[in-house]
Amino acid sequence: MDKNSIIGFALIAAVLIGFSWYSRPSEEEQRAQFVKDSIAQVNRDKAEKAAKTATLQRQKANKEKILQDTTAMFYTAMTGKAENVTLKNDKLELTLSSKGAEVKKVVIKNYKDNITEAKDVTLFQNDDQSLNYTLVAKEMNISTQDLYFTPSEVSDSTVTFTAQAGTGKSISMTYRLGKDYLLRMSFSAQGMAGLFAPNTNTVAINWKEKVRQQEKGFNFENRYATLTYHEYGGGTDYLSETSENIDKEIEPKIDWVAFKNQFFSAVMIAKNDLGERTLLTSIPLEKGSGYLKQYEAKLKTSFDPTGQTPTELEFYYGPNDFRLLKNVEKGSRFGKDLELQRLVYLGWPLFRYINRWFTIYVFDWLSKWFPMGVVLILITLLLKAITYPMVKKSYMSSAKMRVLKPKLDEATKQYNKPEDQMQKQQAMMAEYAKYGVSPLSGCLPMLIQMPIWIAMFNFVPNAIQLRGQSFLWMKDLSTYDAIFEWNKNLWLIGDHLSLTCILFCGAQIIYTWFTMQQQKDQMIGQQAEQMKMMQWMMYLMPLMFFFMFNDYSSGLNFYYFVSLILSAAVMFVLRKTTNDEKLLAILEARYKENQSNPQKMKGMMARMQSLQQMQQKQMEAQRQRQEQLNRKKKE
């Protein structure tokens, strides 16, 4: 890998990290934005309160009108006392209320609540979540939230809620909990066909939830909390994790919508579809509120007023476990390709394929035998073993350029002036061609390793298997491991220092030092001077990584730490085991062989010439840009 390639990679990384750093608002901008957001929040609260008040007034007026008219629909269902019904199995415990016939509390068993320290996770409870079905009849709108249902056929797995509309008229909801995390719901009307307009064939659904904070790291968890949906016929998308979306219109029909946080989700699945032009809302909430986001989905699905075909929905309340979510399709009765496993984000297509067909299989197999921290180490070792041939090839390419350095110095010593750099590059390429050495051969194998790093960047934060798992000093591999914490939130750093992040950045410095030493040994003339100038940039990158990864999970930082230490160790061993004299002798023999084979020599020279022309174009473009800048300065 030559100097220009190193500078290119360093600049790309520096631009990405630097832009992220630079684009962060200042304290004054943060305060101004906070004031602006606060005003906007107050206005929203006022608007919501006014809308809620108006709705309540209408409901109250309708209710009073109904109560005054004993012949009105749902006269008896407008008053009553809410009763709770509990459905449970080994994995879930659901509390349903007869007021509105909706699920009011979900407890996911066998997953510790990291906020309350309870043995089970409470996904939501009471007013955290609401679900209302609205039917438009000829005389009035029927909202299930206003009705008191009568429970019947109650067991640990089944309950039927019925609301009487009058003699021989009623609506009912039947819930059935299976052996896993799937709750089935059937909604139908009896004897009410004449009360609806002839073209009525849908029921409106309004689903809301304030997603609770479940993990220690608010910012990190919030980054992976997204309102996600699956388009009818295939394709998954989600609303922005960071920006506010209010009533965003989704034009295609959708199969399901998920209120997702980092490790757990509530998902609504429709047998047919959830209508076109769905309106979805996601509003980030403030740190310290105990909640991550406010979600809302305004949906429609099919409804048969005659009651012959019930409206069927399924609800998944459970962990974001890739294998488990994939098996939900087998338990579903709708026969759809739901792709619920896409709730576990594995990255863009290339990285998703690596995680889907390699990382998950290896991770699942190793986790049967070893603790999660050891699993991360073993995966790192396995990946290093797989990429070792490429790493060795990259190193040997650099070693060849290192042992050829004296010959390059001799061949280019007359081109040490700044204006002679193009001739110097030509002389270097010609010398490389004689010995059959390609500078690019050291770069390409290293680039192949980058997708693995990025794939693990996407996999580790979404692996629920790491949640609550301890290793060495790390109490929970799914969140940060703080060695110091404080109450005030400092700019860039936050409210803690993560030990694994510090170790990762220290390992990055060690690895950078090895890399710089290797490159310094092969640089000649002004290249060596330029290398000294860019060293500060390379050593600055770990500091930038610290600001980025201090909030990240200890498992991810630990993986990068082990990976960098192993990479540095491999480079050290290769350097110690490479005999420069023998390598130079091999190159001299190849030089003689190439001289006796002009055709082969010609092919290599053509490739080097092509590479050289590319570099010449780059240098010429750079020179023109510099001239334009100089002219502008003079003007």
Side-chain angles (χ1 to χ4, degrees):
M1 186 181 293
D2 61 9
K3 175 201 66 171
N4 292 331
S5 299
I6 297 172
I7 294 175
F9 290 136
L11 288 176
I12 291 172
V15 167
L16 292 175
I17 298 170
F19 178 76
S20 175
W21 190 6
Y22 177 76
S23 60
R24 290 174 179 264
S26 64
E27 292 186 7
E28 291 77 9
E29 291 172 331
Q30 286 181 325
R31 284 194 293 270
Q33 186 63 39
F34 177 76
V35 172
K36 182 179 178 182
D37 292 343
S38 298
I39 294 173
Q41 184 64 46
V42 169
N43 291 333
R44 280 198 302 270
D45 291 343
K46 287 182 178 178
E48 289 177 3
K49 187 176 181 180
K52 189 174 181 180
T53 301
T55 301
L56 290 174
Q57 288 175 348
R58 285 195 301 270
Q59 291 174 348
K60 184 178 179 181
N62 289 335
K63 185 175 180 180
E64 289 176 351
K65 181 179 179 182
I66 291 171
L67 291 175
Q68 292 170 3
D69 183 3
T70 58
T71 63
M73 277 199 308
F74 296 104
Y75 168 76
T76 58
M78 295 299 290
T79 58
K81 183 179 180 181
E83 297 181 45
N84 288 336
V85 176
T86 300
L87 305 182
K88 58 184 178 180
N89 57 24
D90 294 337
K91 300 176 180 178
L92 277 182
E93 183 173 316
L94 310 177
T95 301
L96 294 87
S97 174
S98 62
K99 174 70 184 298
E102 60 179 315
V103 179
K104 298 301 293 183
K105 182 178 181 180
V106 171
V107 175
I108 303 174
K109 299 180 181 180
N110 306 317
Y111 288 92
K112 181 181 177 182
D113 192 316
N114 289 332
I115 301 298
T116 65
E117 299 295 325
K119 65 175 183 177
D120 298 318
V121 165
T122 299
L123 189 62
F124 59 80
Q125 63 180 348
N126 301 328
D127 295 333
D128 291 350
Q129 199 249 31
S130 65
L131 179 57
N132 183 45
Y133 304 90
T134 302
L135 296 168
V136 180
K138 292 178 181 178
E139 296 181 0
M140 61 178 289
N141 292 342
I142 304 167
S143 295
T144 57
Q145 280 187 338
D146 298 334
L147 305 179
Y148 289 87
F149 290 74
T150 301
S152 62
E153 302 176 11
V154 179
S155 69
D156 284 347
S157 60
T158 306
V159 63
T160 296
F161 290 103
T162 304
Q164 297 295 332
T167 304
K169 301 179 179 64
S170 64
I171 58 174
S172 63
M173 298 186 197
T174 299
Y175 291 92
R176 293 182 177 87
L177 177 63
K179 296 181 179 180
D180 51 18
Y181 300 96
L182 208 58
L183 176 69
R184 299 180 180 89
M185 193 276 281
S186 177
F187 175 54
S188 60
Q190 294 83 36
M192 298 180 62
L195 303 178
F196 296 96
N199 60 347
T200 298
N201 58 5
T202 60
V203 55
I205 304 173
N206 185 260
W207 189 25
K208 298 180 181 179
E209 183 181 339
K210 287 177 70 176
V211 178
R212 294 159 62 100
Q213 181 182 348
Q214 304 286 358
E215 314 305 323
K216 183 172 68 172
F218 176 86
N219 294 330
F220 189 62
E221 183 183 6
N222 211 9
R223 196 174 289 124
Y224 293 92
T226 57
L227 194 158
T228 308
Y229 58 92
H230 184 268
E231 295 178 2
Y232 185 77
T236 305
D237 206 347
Y238 55 89
L239 301 188
S240 170
E241 308 96 323
T242 55
S243 60
E244 184 178 278
N245 288 276
I246 298 178
D247 285 344
K248 180 178 180 180
E249 187 176 283
I250 309 300
E251 292 189 1
K253 296 179 180 180
I254 60 177
D255 286 319
W256 53 259
V257 60
F259 292 167
K260 171 184 178 292
N261 65 8
Q262 185 177 4
F263 291 122
F264 303 97
S265 291
V267 187
M268 178 189 293
I269 309 166
K271 182 177 182 179
N272 297 317
D273 59 69
L274 290 171
E276 295 178 332
R277 301 189 180 279
T278 298
L279 299 179
L280 302 178
T281 294
S282 175
I283 302 174
L285 302 179
E286 293 182 2
K287 184 176 181 179
S289 65
Y291 297 92
L292 302 173
K293 291 182 172 72
Q294 171 70 57
Y295 291 146
E296 182 177 3
K298 298 176 181 177
L299 315 156
K300 288 184 178 181
T301 193
S302 60
F303 172 72
D304 181 7
T306 67
Q308 295 180 359
T309 304
T311 298
E312 294 186 62
L313 299 172
E314 291 177 338
F315 296 89
Y316 174 85
Y317 302 115
N320 299 329
D321 183 303
F322 185 91
R323 297 291 187 198
L324 181 62
L325 289 166
K326 191 167 179 60
N327 289 331
V328 168
E329 292 180 15
K330 298 178 182 179
S332 173
R333 296 180 179 177
F334 298 161
K336 291 183 174 183
D337 184 12
L338 296 174
E339 295 185 304
L340 277 175
Q341 69 272 14
R342 296 294 291 273
L343 287 173
V344 181
Y345 184 68
L346 299 177
W348 291 350
L350 173 61
F351 315 125
R352 184 167 66 244
Y353 293 143
I354 294 173
N355 285 325
R356 173 67 182 85
W357 301 109
F358 173 79
T359 310
I360 289 177
Y361 280 98
V362 175
F363 189 85
D364 287 348
W365 184 77
L366 290 175
S367 60
K368 295 177 182 178
W369 310 99
F370 303 99
M372 288 301 166
V374 177
V375 169
L376 290 175
I377 295 174
L378 292 176
I379 286 180
T380 310
L381 289 170
L382 179 59
L383 291 173
K384 290 300 175 186
I386 293 173
T387 58
Y388 176 75
M390 294 179 287
V391 173
K392 185 176 181 180
K393 183 177 180 181
S394 174
Y395 174 81
M396 292 308 297
S397 176
S398 298
K400 290 173 184 177
M401 290 188 284
R402 182 179 69 243
V403 298
L404 288 175
K405 183 174 180 294
K407 296 183 179 295
L408 291 173
D409 287 336
E410 181 65 25
T412 61
K413 62 182 180 180
Q414 67 271 34
Y415 303 119
N416 282 331
K417 297 180 180 179
E419 61 269 20
D420 296 334
Q421 291 304 302
M422 189 173 295
Q423 291 92 328
K424 186 174 186 176
Q425 289 287 339
Q426 292 173 349
M428 288 173 59
M429 291 299 175
E431 201 69 18
Y432 283 139
K434 292 177 184 178
Y435 291 92
V437 175
S438 173
L440 285 180
S441 63
C443 303
L444 297 179
M446 295 299 292
L447 288 175
I448 298 175
Q449 297 183 83
M450 293 182 66
I452 296 175
W453 265 57
I454 300 174
M456 292 300 290
F457 177 83
N458 288 297
F459 173 78
V460 173
N462 289 291
I464 193 172
Q465 294 84 351
L466 297 176
R467 186 179 185 271
Q469 297 296 312
S470 61
F471 183 67
L472 299 177
W473 68 89
M474 295 166 280
K475 295 181 180 180
D476 187 347
L477 290 169
S478 68
T479 189
Y480 59 79
D481 56 323
I483 52 173
F484 295 109
E485 292 185 272
W486 49 88
N487 294 325
K488 187 177 180 180
N489 191 50
L490 300 180
W491 184 58
L492 293 179
I493 297 178
D495 57 5
H496 67 274
L497 285 178
S498 170
L499 178 56
T500 50
C501 180
I502 295 172
L503 292 174
F504 159 46
C505 295
Q508 178 72 26
I509 293 174
I510 295 173
Y511 180 74
T512 300
W513 183 82
F514 272 105
T515 304
M516 299 300 290
Q517 289 297 114
Q518 180 177 317
Q519 298 300 327
K520 185 176 67 174
D521 291 341
Q522 68 189 48
M523 296 299 173
I524 62 174
Q526 290 187 349
Q527 288 182 335
E529 295 300 322
Q530 293 173 347
M531 177 62 72
K532 292 179 181 178
M533 295 175 61
M534 67 172 290
Q535 281 183 352
W536 68 270
M537 182 187 302
M538 299 297 292
Y539 287 118
L540 188 62
M541 287 178 62
L543 179 61
M544 297 180 180
F545 280 137
F546 169 77
F547 294 129
M548 291 178 61
F549 284 84
N550 191 44
D551 265 337
Y552 275 65
S553 67
S554 58
L556 182 64
N557 281 321
F558 182 69
Y559 164 76
Y560 283 149
F561 164 69
V562 174
S563 180
L564 286 167
I565 289 295
L566 288 175
S567 296
V570 168
M571 291 179 63
F572 178 78
V573 171
L574 287 173
R575 182 67 180 91
K576 289 296 183 181
T577 56
T578 301
N579 190 316
D580 288 0
E581 293 180 358
K582 288 184 179 180
L583 183 59
L584 182 58
I586 293 172
L587 293 176
E588 293 286 4
R590 183 182 296 175
Y591 176 39
K592 293 178 181 179
E593 180 185 347
N594 290 339
Q595 281 185 319
S596 61
N597 189 349
Q599 201 66 26
K600 183 177 179 182
M601 191 73 174
K602 184 178 179 181
M604 286 188 296
M605 288 295 292
R607 289 194 295 271
M608 287 295 180
Q609 186 176 7
S610 176
L611 178 61
Q612 178 181 317
Q613 289 174 350
M614 181 179 69
Q615 289 187 333
Q616 286 177 351
K617 289 180 181 178
Q618 292 175 346
M619 292 177 66
E620 181 63 24
Q622 185 178 0
R623 184 185 63 79
Q624 291 177 356
R625 286 195 298 269
Q626 188 61 45
E627 289 179 353
Q628 290 175 355
L629 288 174
N630 293 337
R631 283 198 298 269
K632 288 182 179 179
K633 288 180 179 179
K634 290 180 180 179
E635 293 174 357

